[in-house]
Amino acid sequence: MRSGFVAVAGRPNVGKSTLVNALAGGKVAIVSDKPQTTRRRIAAVVNGDDHQLVLVDLPGFQRPRDPLTERMQKTVDGSLDDVDGYLFVLAADERIGGGDRFVAERVFGAGPPVVVALNKVDRLSPGRIAEQIEAAAALGDFHALHPVSALRSEGLGPLEHDLAALLPEGPRYFGEGEQTDLPLESRLAELIREQALALTRDEVPHAIEVEVEEIEEGRVHARLFVETESQKGILVGKGGGMIKAIGSGARPEVERLLGRKVFLELVVKVRPHWRRDESVLQRLGI
């Protein structure tokens, strides 16, 4: 039995969380087209016949701009230690540039072997895929390189096989049916935030955080934080239309996770500069 941990690294918005979910066979990390969607370290469990691969999904590498992004980058830095390998994710439909090279310097210089996943190849012609494979191969001395489409679940079998090959002999770290180490409250909060990200734009998505306050048999009560009254107005919407849409969009995923019907009670609160408030960030587990 092989078991161990592989850190998932890459710049923001290359499809890391989509790939993690595809490999895990279910939703563990939320997905959005907004950069900086992943704020926490998330362990996703991939069970095979002869292995248990734990993928550590991380925030994207970034230059910190405030205490929130500083904490996110510290999460990345701290999680790059004590792993058995790295899954370095690149976006095939974008030019491999300075941000990718910055991440490459970190992961290739860390010591453990690196498996490269060139994601989103479903968007490219075969000739362009070959060009991007050549560019990706020049980033460092990799263990394996796989062109994949997380969205279409293409190329994932060989990728999982090579990731499992990095793992030592060991025990199962997670029991049967366990998908992640995130607490239930955090998983529910993330599902609600996912819908808020999908329905808002401009600066509002970056200012949103969600905290689940209470889980009862038929009710989940959660607070959505923003930093200004104008952001609150957008999030609530005319006649409460936006917050109702967020609740309607999140409810099926929340009910799927809980295994029962629930009333989703959402309240929007203004907490000025919460992204700079260390006590709030600590409480939110960021």
Side-chain angles (χ1 to χ4, degrees):
M1 174 75 181
R2 291 181 176 271
S3 64
F5 297 79
V6 171
V8 184
R11 59 180 174 78
N13 220 29
V14 295
K16 297 186 298 297
S17 296
T18 302
L19 182 56
V20 166
N21 289 339
L23 286 165
K27 178 172 282 190
V28 176
I30 65 170
V31 176
S32 166
D33 60 359
K34 310 291 194 303
Q36 302 172 21
T37 294
T38 302
R39 288 174 171 167
R40 299 164 176 83
R41 172 195 175 280
I42 301 171
V45 183
V46 183
N47 287 309
D49 292 336
D50 60 354
H51 64 266
Q52 185 176 80
L53 166 66
V54 182
L55 297 172
V56 183
D57 189 20
L58 303 172
F61 278 76
Q62 60 193 304
R63 300 189 188 281
R65 302 188 312 274
D66 52 37
L68 171 63
T69 48
E70 285 176 9
R71 281 175 171 262
M72 289 163 63
Q73 188 56 44
K74 285 179 181 177
T75 295
V76 175
D77 294 338
S79 298
L80 292 180
D81 299 324
D82 299 324
V83 294
D84 302 295
Y86 300 109
L87 173 57
F88 179 22
V89 184
L90 301 164
D93 62 338
E94 299 177 23
R95 184 179 66 86
I96 294 175
D100 298 304
R101 288 190 290 273
F102 174 75
V103 181
E105 288 177 7
R106 295 293 308 279
V107 298
F108 284 112
V114 179
V115 172
V116 179
L118 188 61
N119 192 24
K120 307 182 185 182
V121 295
D122 53 291
R123 302 182 180 185
L124 303 182
S125 66
R128 182 58 179 154
I129 293 172
E131 292 174 2
Q132 289 292 73
I133 289 175
E134 184 177 356
L139 290 172
D141 186 13
F142 54 87
H143 173 79
L145 191 157
H146 292 271
V148 302
S149 169
L151 189 63
R152 297 186 179 180
S153 296
E154 295 174 354
L156 301 187
L159 174 61
E160 181 181 340
H161 178 272
D162 277 334
L163 290 170
L166 305 181
L167 307 179
E169 294 290 325
R172 289 186 180 272
Y173 293 98
F174 290 84
E176 191 70 29
E178 290 186 273
Q179 289 185 304
T180 180
D181 61 349
L182 270 186
L184 177 60
E185 290 83 359
S186 296
R187 295 185 70 182
L188 294 172
E190 287 289 87
L191 292 173
I192 296 166
R193 187 166 69 91
E194 181 179 45
Q195 289 302 311
L197 293 176
L199 295 173
T200 57
R201 56 187 175 83
D202 299 329
E203 173 56 21
V204 178
H206 300 291
I208 296 171
E209 188 52 68
V210 181
E211 184 176 29
V212 170
E213 293 193 310
E214 194 172 18
I215 304 172
E216 297 178 346
E217 184 61 31
R219 185 178 74 99
V220 173
H221 177 73
R223 290 193 298 176
L224 287 77
F225 295 107
V226 287
E227 293 187 318
T228 68
E229 288 291 342
S230 62
Q231 292 167 351
K232 177 181 177 179
I234 293 170
L235 201 57
V236 172
K238 186 176 181 180
M242 176 63 77
I243 197 65
K244 290 176 182 175
I246 291 169
S248 296
R251 188 177 299 107
E253 293 280 4
V254 167
E255 292 178 340
R256 190 175 296 115
L257 180 56
L258 293 176
R260 61 180 185 270
K261 296 287 186 181
V262 296
F263 173 67
L264 193 54
E265 183 179 15
L266 305 181
V267 177
V268 182
K269 298 288 186 180
V270 175
R271 187 174 289 273
H273 310 297
W274 71 262
R275 285 178 287 183
R276 298 182 178 276
D277 189 327
E278 294 284 355
S279 63
V280 173
L281 297 173
Q282 181 74 26
R283 193 182 77 245
L284 293 171
I286 298 176

